[in-house]
């Protein structure tokens, strides 16, 4: 696991000490940049060149865009940047998928084709740093920010190691102003960083990894061997696992950045409390949703070109969002499903808003509870799509989940820890919703409890972050 | 009450001591959260350290238990070796054998699972503060495989001088040994880290008491470890067969069509480096007037058939060591054990151990009669 291994746990204190000991801005950022590249090389030794190449291209393109005097030259350099980023992303991520489907099509047409015997190892974090690069050159093109003239500064913005592997997708417009003078972390940032780092580790190692090993993987690997109640719990546990896995990484990234005095955007906002699908995408992987909105949905016209075009834009947005997560039909289906839900919710919202009965109903607590339950069940159901091993397995689990009855939650096959770990996730959401903050001693005791749990109860090799693989 | 001149409040506003007090107070107030965390962490760590016997009971260290168990009393006869010795020699059956016309009153087996000849040398040094009359090294091919470096011995048996000695004697493993030794020392700086396995096992037992069936695998592991440690302590001879080896027989497994996996301990087989520690053991015994006997532990015919080159090299090396130090060499293969006496490719069943131990007693007496 990226943040719980000897290399990282040695690198981090060394870099922190050097960062605070060194005097000048250049020295500090040189150390951070070299550490970030070393970290990347350690994690993805074959692909540092991809990161460096895109850094050079985007840096050059942004400077040329700013320096260009005619609009065509500006646009040309923007296209260079976008094509380079998306080209490499597509080449690495989607080539096997396209190839396999071309083979399938060929087979369907009666051609003699052979199976693919090769694979492409995905460069670490390519889905994230390419989006960061695009947002930077687009912002320069839109004259929202000035191009960075120091290559080191730009390279550091792209490669800053806490968020390099799996986000959050940081915008230049947010991060570059923080870089003007090397920030010194306040005592509050140090404390918050510690809290976030421990919470993130706890979510990843104690909740996500344990749910996976104890229950989620065995059930999804062979759902036929389990009963309907186990399927229901596995679906819910998988939803808890993927949330804790990804938000755990984001928490750790944000926490580590705070120790250097940087503020990264929070990526999650209690997503399973969403009252509708639109609300969910404002709470889940916030930096990706915002990126897609600003650099895809709005340029496509957003909701300004009539209802039909708006629905089309939403579908395009979510199909691409699904494919961003993974080059499989299941992820495509996930995108389509989300797009349809988004369109359905938008249509319902437009029909119901402004009508007395509906407005009153939607303002009621009963409706809020109903909407939350409906949204959550939709979310859990669609997450089955992306974990299933085959469509038949997915269908079996979806059937079990859809035919829900309150008595069908008990199964001897469900380890007692599964409901307890899921309950911890629910408790975390509840505390967040009620904005409960513990007094400092209680908070410190909880943090120490988390450390004890991490050291004592998470033995062995941990699993890689799910979103790192996207 | 009027403040006295020694309290901070009584000092003049510009006094440096007062400023320092204020600075400290501000620092503590500003960093309260982080300081509380550190303080609680230290308290928790000390608390865990105070309960060390509880965690030790739930996570016994087999190496340490055998070494300290042997060292607790002066012994006449000590067996050292790897897991074949642990499972294949019952000192209780051999104690009383005559050696140079006098019975070997007390025997103990320091069998270290997964150990190498290097580990056995240090185990013998630690386990025998009083020189025994006889040490039997129950060797097997994997002990001398220089491709193997196992961390348990480094972490449990060595001190700084030993690490320096290994770095000199086996320079190819200097970095590895130093790293593992350092890691073990750093790990011991934190009680939480040091006793993490005991904590986990203890928690499994407590959780099962609260919710039966809560963590069956961890509980089974905790129980097996505890029972094994109790068995080892009760018998007092170093022989405490693992339950798993009592339940199965290699001939039955073969009849059922089971094909054992490759024996990884013989991968990339080469000798010459670990064997320096057999030399060292021989010298150490000679210096103390202890007789050293080499015992080639028996293994299944299938294992020998799978790794003929490795066993040939091992046997040649062992014979060379016996010749070089003029040591008696007992061939365990002559005991006539069959697949029925083994639980797997290399470990004996308790019945096989009893048969072999009886045979070994006679062979030791023969060796003890030789001039």
């Amino acid at each position: 696991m990226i943040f719980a291994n000897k290399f990282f746990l040695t690198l981090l204190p060394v870099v922190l000490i050097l960062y605070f000991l060194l005097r000048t801005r250049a020295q500090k950022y040189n150390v951070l940049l070299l550490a970030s590249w070393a970290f990347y090389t350690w994690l993805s030794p074959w692909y540092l060149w991809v990161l460096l190449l895109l850094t050079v291209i985007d840096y050059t393109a942004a400077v040329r865009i700013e320096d260009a005097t005619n609009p065509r030259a500006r646009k040309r350099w923007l296209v260079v940047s976008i094509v380079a980023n998306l080209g490499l992303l597509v080449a690495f991520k989607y080539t096997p998928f396209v190839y396999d489907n071309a083979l399938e099509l060929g087979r369907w047409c009666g051609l003699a084709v052979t199976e693919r015997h090769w694979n492409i190892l995905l460069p670490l974090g390519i889905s994230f740093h390419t989006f960061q690069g695009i947002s930077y050159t687009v912002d320069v093109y839109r004259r929202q920010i000035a191009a960075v003239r120091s290559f080191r500064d730009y390279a550091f913005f792209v490669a800053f190691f806490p968020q390099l592997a799996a986000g959050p997708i940081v915008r230049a417009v947010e991060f570059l102003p923080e870089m003007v003078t090397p920030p010194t972390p306040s005592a509050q940032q140090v404390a918050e960083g510690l809290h976030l780092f421990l919470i993130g580790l706890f979510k990843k190692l104690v909740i996500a990894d344990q749910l996976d090993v104890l229950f989620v993987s065995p059930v999804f690997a062979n759902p036929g061997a389990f009963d309907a109640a186990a399927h229901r719990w596995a679906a819910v546990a998988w939803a808890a696992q993927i949330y804790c896995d990804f938000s755990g990484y984001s928490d750790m990234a944000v926490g580590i950045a705070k120790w250097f005095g940087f503020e990264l955007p929070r990526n999650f906002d209690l997503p399973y409390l969403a009252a509708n699908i639109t609300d969910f995408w404002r709470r889940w992987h916030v930096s990706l949703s915002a990126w897609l909105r600003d650099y895809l949905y709005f340029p496509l016209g957003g909701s300004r070109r009539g209802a039909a075009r708006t629905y089309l834009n939403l579908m395009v947005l979510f199909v691409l969002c699904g494919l961003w997560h993974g080059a499989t039909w299941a992820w495509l289906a996930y995108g389509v499903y989300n797009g349809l839900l988004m369109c359905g919710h938008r249509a319902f919202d437009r029909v119901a808003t402004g009508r007395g009965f509906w407005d009153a109903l939607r303002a009621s607590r009963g409706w809020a509870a109903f909407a939350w339950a409906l949204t959550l069940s939709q979310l859990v159901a669609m997450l089955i799509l992306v974990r299933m091993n085959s469509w038949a397995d997915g269908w079996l689990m979806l059937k079990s989940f859809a035919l829900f009855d309150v008595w069908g939650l008990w199964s001897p096959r469900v380890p007692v820890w599964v409901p307890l770990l899921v309950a911890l996730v629910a408790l975390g959401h509840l505390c967040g919703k009620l904005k409960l903050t513990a007094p400092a001693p209680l908070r410190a005791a909880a943090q120490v409890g988390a450390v004890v749990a991490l050291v004592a109860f998470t033995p062995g090799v941990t699993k890689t972050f799910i979103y790192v693989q996207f | 009450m009027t403040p006295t001149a020694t309290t901070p409040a009584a000092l003049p506003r510009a006094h440096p001591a007062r400023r320092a007090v204020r600075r400290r107070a501000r620092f503590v107030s500003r960093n309260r959260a982080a300081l509380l965390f550190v303080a609680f962490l230290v308290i928790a760590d000390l608390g865990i350290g105070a309960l060390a016997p509880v965690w030790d009971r739930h996570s016994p260290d087999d190496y340490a238990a055998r070494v300290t168990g042997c060292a607790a009393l002066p012994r006449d006869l000590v067996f050292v070796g790897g897991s074949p010795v642990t499972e294949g020699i019952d000192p209780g059956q051999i104690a009383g054998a005559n050696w140079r016309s006098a019975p070997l009153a007390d025997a103990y087996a320091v069998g270290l699972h997964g150990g190498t000849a290097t580990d056995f040398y240090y185990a013998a040094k630690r386990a025998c503060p009083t020189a025994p009359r006889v040490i039997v090294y129950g060797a097997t091919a994997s002990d001398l495989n220089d491709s193997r470096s196992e961390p348990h011995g480094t972490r449990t048996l060595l001190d700084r001088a030993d690490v320096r000695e290994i770095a000199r004697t086996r320079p190819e493993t200097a970095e590895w040994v130093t790293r593992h030794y350092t890691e073990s020392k750093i790990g011991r700086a934190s009680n939480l880290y040091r006793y993490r396995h005991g904590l986990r096992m203890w928690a499994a037992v407590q959780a099962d008491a609260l919710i039966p069936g809560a963590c069956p695998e961890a509980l089974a592991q905790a129980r097996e470890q505890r029972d094994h440690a109790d068995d080892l302590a009760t018998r007092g001879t170093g022989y405490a067969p693992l339950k798993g080896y009592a339940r199965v027989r290699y001939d039955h497994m073969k009849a059922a069509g089971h094909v054992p996996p490759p024996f990884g301990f013989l991968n990339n087989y080469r000798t010459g480096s670990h064997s320096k520690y057999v030399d060292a053991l021989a010298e150490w015994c000679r210096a103390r007037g202890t007789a050293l006997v080499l015992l080639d532990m028996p293994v299944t015919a299938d294992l020998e058939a799978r790794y003929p080159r490795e066993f040939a090299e091992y046997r040649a090396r062992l014979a060379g060591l016996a010749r070089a130090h003029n040591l008696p060499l007992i061939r365990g293969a002559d005991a006539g054990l069959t697949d029925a006496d083994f639980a797997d490719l290399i470990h004996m069943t308790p019945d096989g151990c009893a048969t072999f131990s009886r045979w070994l007693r006679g062979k030791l007496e023969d060796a003890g009669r030789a001039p």
Side-chain angles (χ1 to χ4, degrees):
Chain A
M1 200 270 274
I2 288 175
F3 294 139
N5 58 70
K6 287 176 193 167
F7 180 80
F8 184 78
L9 294 176
T10 310
L11 178 83
L12 182 62
V14 170
V15 176
L16 273 169
I17 289 167
L18 282 174
Y19 183 75
F20 292 113
L21 288 182
L22 293 171
R23 295 287 175 114
T24 67
R25 179 182 189 277
Q27 287 171 335
K28 284 175 186 280
Y29 287 156
N30 281 342
V31 163
L32 282 181
L33 177 60
L34 289 176
S36 299
W37 281 346
F39 185 54
Y40 191 89
T41 307
W42 176 70
L43 290 169
S44 189
W46 304 105
Y47 287 131
L48 182 66
W49 67 268
V50 175
L51 182 69
L52 295 179
L53 178 68
L54 289 177
T55 304
V56 170
I57 290 173
D58 292 335
Y59 167 76
T60 311
V63 170
R64 295 299 173 98
I65 288 169
E66 192 169 73
D67 290 348
T69 48
N70 73 67
R72 287 188 65 184
R74 285 168 52 78
K75 191 168 270 184
R76 198 165 53 237
W77 280 106
L78 177 66
V79 169
V80 166
S81 166
I82 292 174
V83 167
N85 281 287
L86 290 184
L88 278 173
L89 178 63
V90 168
F92 277 110
K93 197 164 175 175
Y94 301 101
T95 303
F97 179 64
V98 172
Y99 187 91
D100 286 346
N101 284 292
L103 283 186
E104 203 57 46
L105 188 65
R107 205 171 284 131
W108 189 71
C109 294
L111 299 175
V113 290
T114 53
E115 286 296 318
R116 174 166 61 91
H117 296 295
W118 48 268
N119 208 349
I120 296 178
L121 188 65
L122 200 61
L124 182 81
I126 191 168
S127 304
F128 296 87
H129 68 72
T130 48
F131 274 33
Q132 262 184 230
I134 291 172
S135 74
Y136 167 65
T137 48
V138 170
D139 286 351
V140 172
Y141 179 81
R142 290 172 174 170
R143 300 187 206 280
Q144 288 176 345
I145 51 167
V148 179
R149 296 286 159 169
S150 157
F151 178 74
R152 182 203 48 230
D153 284 8
Y154 178 69
F156 170 58
F157 155 67
V158 175
F160 186 38
F161 66 88
Q163 44 81 231
L164 180 57
I169 300 168
V170 181
R171 307 276 191 90
V173 71
E174 297 162 345
F175 195 77
L176 293 176
E178 291 190 61
M179 284 179 62
V180 175
T181 49
T184 306
S186 63
Q188 191 187 354
Q189 276 181 308
V190 171
E192 284 175 1
L194 176 70
H195 187 70
L196 283 169
F197 187 77
L198 288 175
I199 288 280
L201 261 185
F202 188 85
K203 279 182 182 174
K204 166 66 179 160
L205 297 182
V206 178
I207 301 182
D209 284 2
Q210 299 298 324
L211 279 176
D212 186 71
V213 173
L214 278 172
F215 195 55
V216 175
S217 276
V219 176
F220 274 91
N222 185 15
F226 291 84
D227 55 30
H231 294 162
R232 287 168 199 139
W233 274 111
V236 173
W238 163 233
Q241 182 198 340
I242 194 168
Y243 164 71
C244 287
D245 191 287
F246 189 26
S247 73
Y249 177 93
S250 293
D251 288 345
M252 280 186 270
V254 174
I256 294 167
K258 278 179 187 285
W259 289 336
F260 292 95
F262 291 100
E263 291 292 340
L264 300 183
R266 295 295 294 271
N267 224 6
F268 290 86
D269 181 20
L270 313 173
Y272 293 142
L273 292 184
N276 55 60
I277 189 70
T278 311
D279 189 22
F280 172 75
W281 281 106
R282 288 189 193 120
R283 294 164 175 264
W284 180 276
H285 203 174
V286 176
S287 62
L288 175 69
S289 308
W291 193 98
L292 290 171
R293 181 195 64 211
D294 293 348
Y295 299 100
L296 185 64
Y297 182 67
F298 288 163
L300 286 173
S303 57
R304 289 165 299 165
R305 296 190 185 173
R309 182 62 187 262
T310 302
Y311 293 125
L312 179 67
N313 289 345
L314 279 173
M315 286 307 295
V316 169
L317 184 79
F318 278 94
V319 165
L320 290 177
C321 175
L323 283 176
W324 177 90
H325 284 83
T328 63
W329 286 104
W331 277 114
L332 185 68
Y334 173 82
V336 171
Y337 189 68
N338 269 287
L340 290 173
L341 285 179
M342 286 292 287
C343 292
H345 177 250
R346 184 182 172 82
F348 170 72
D349 198 44
R350 291 175 76 82
V351 169
T353 303
R355 295 173 188 240
F357 168 74
W358 280 105
D359 283 344
L361 181 66
R362 289 167 78 196
S364 67
R365 288 190 172 192
W367 177 267
F370 168 73
W372 167 76
L374 186 66
T375 305
L376 185 61
S377 57
Q378 291 296 317
L379 296 173
V380 173
M382 74 187 174
L383 281 171
I384 293 174
L385 281 177
V386 296
R387 181 70 195 243
M388 65 192 186
N389 278 348
S390 66
W391 292 98
D393 285 353
W395 176 240
L396 178 64
M397 293 196 64
L398 273 172
K399 265 197 310 189
S400 298
F401 188 74
L403 302 173
F404 176 80
D405 65 280
V406 283
W407 306 113
L409 275 178
W410 188 86
S411 164
R413 306 294 303 276
V414 182
V416 67
W417 303 110
V418 172
L420 288 176
L421 291 172
V422 170
L424 268 184
V425 178
L427 187 67
H429 273 66
L430 189 65
C431 290
K433 170 80 174 171
L434 299 175
K435 299 194 189 312
L436 294 179
T437 48
L442 192 60
R443 199 173 162 96
Q447 289 168 347
V448 171
V451 172
V452 173
L454 285 164
V455 175
F457 304 130
T458 57
V461 178
T462 57
K463 292 167 172 292
T464 190
F465 285 103
I466 295 168
Y467 265 66
V468 166
Q469 299 158 51
F470 292 159
Chain B
M1 194 174 91
T2 311
T4 63
T6 52
T7 59
L11 295 171
R13 183 172 288 273
H15 195 286
R18 182 175 179 140
R19 279 208 303 274
V21 169
R22 279 187 172 176
R23 260 204 311 274
R24 270 202 297 275
R26 268 204 306 273
F27 176 82
V28 169
S29 162
R30 236 189 354 251
N31 294 286
R32 188 160 169 254
L35 291 173
L36 271 173
F37 170 74
V38 173
F40 280 19
L41 196 59
V42 170
I43 291 168
D45 203 65
L46 291 174
I48 289 167
L51 296 170
V54 175
W55 322 128
D56 273 338
R57 201 163 51 244
H58 286 85
S59 177
D61 180 342
D62 198 51
Y63 274 29
R66 285 169 196 276
V67 168
T68 52
C70 183
L73 292 171
R75 311 282 180 183
D76 276 353
L77 171 62
V78 171
F79 296 91
V80 293
S83 54
V85 168
T86 317
E87 304 301 328
I89 294 178
D90 180 359
Q93 300 214 26
I94 301 171
N98 280 316
W99 180 269
R100 307 273 187 253
S101 311
L104 296 163
D106 195 6
Y108 198 94
V110 185
L112 309 180
H113 274 274
T116 60
T118 306
D119 298 327
F120 307 146
Y121 166 70
Y122 290 105
K125 277 174 68 174
R126 301 273 180 278
C128 305
T130 309
R133 287 170 59 202
V134 182
I135 288 182
V136 177
Y137 170 30
T140 194
S142 53
D143 302 352
L144 300 182
N145 185 0
D146 292 340
S147 297
R148 289 183 62 216
S149 288
E150 302 292 342
H152 200 150
T154 304
R155 290 168 178 268
T156 305
L157 302 169
L158 304 188
D159 59 24
R160 254 185 303 184
D162 299 333
V163 173
R164 279 198 296 274
E165 189 177 46
I166 290 183
R168 271 199 314 276
T169 317
R170 303 184 64 222
E172 73 276 15
T173 62
E175 181 273 329
W176 186 91
V177 167
T178 309
R179 181 159 48 84
H180 279 276
Y181 176 77
T182 311
E183 279 178 11
S184 76
K185 290 296 162 203
I186 293 171
R188 280 169 177 260
S190 156
N191 288 314
L192 170 59
Y193 186 77
R194 181 178 179 180
Y195 296 114
R196 64 193 186 286
H197 187 251
L199 263 166
R200 184 159 62 247
M201 294 295 103
W202 173 85
V205 173
Q206 302 308 315
D208 190 76
L210 203 64
I211 312 166
C215 33
E217 288 170 19
L219 183 72
Q221 190 188 356
R223 280 190 178 148
E224 183 156 352
Q225 283 179 349
R226 196 186 51 204
D227 292 350
H228 186 254
D230 288 348
D231 195 19
L232 191 65
T234 310
R235 292 182 188 231
T237 62
Y239 178 64
L242 288 176
K243 280 182 184 163
Y245 293 133
R247 290 189 208 112
V248 291
R249 262 175 52 175
Y250 184 59
D251 59 337
H252 290 167
M253 287 163 66
K254 272 173 76 175
H258 173 74
V259 179
F263 191 68
F265 292 106
L266 295 179
N267 287 351
N268 305 315
Y269 197 76
R270 54 197 165 82
T271 61
S273 181
H274 277 308
S275 64
K276 289 175 190 168
Y277 279 92
V278 185
D279 293 326
L281 182 63
E283 290 305 320
W284 186 78
C285 287
R286 194 190 316 276
R288 280 156 188 77
T290 298
L292 178 64
V293 176
L294 298 183
L295 165 64
D296 178 5
M297 291 296 290
V299 298
T300 53
D302 287 352
L303 185 66
E304 298 219 26
R306 277 196 198 186
Y307 298 94
R309 185 191 67 77
E310 287 79 0
F311 273 94
E313 183 176 340
Y314 153 70
R315 296 251 154 73
R317 179 69 67 180
L318 200 62
L321 287 164
R323 265 196 315 277
H325 298 283
N326 195 24
L327 303 174
L329 171 59
I330 300 173
R331 272 186 51 80
D334 296 341
L337 300 185
T338 65
D339 287 345
D341 297 306
F342 286 89
D344 58 19
L345 282 171
I346 195 164
H347 299 110
M348 288 176 222
T349 60
D351 289 343
C353 171
T355 308
F356 180 68
S357 297
R358 281 194 297 273
W359 175 87
L360 181 60
R361 179 187 173 113
K363 284 291 171 187
L364 265 181
E365 288 187 330
D366 292 347
R369 274 194 291 272

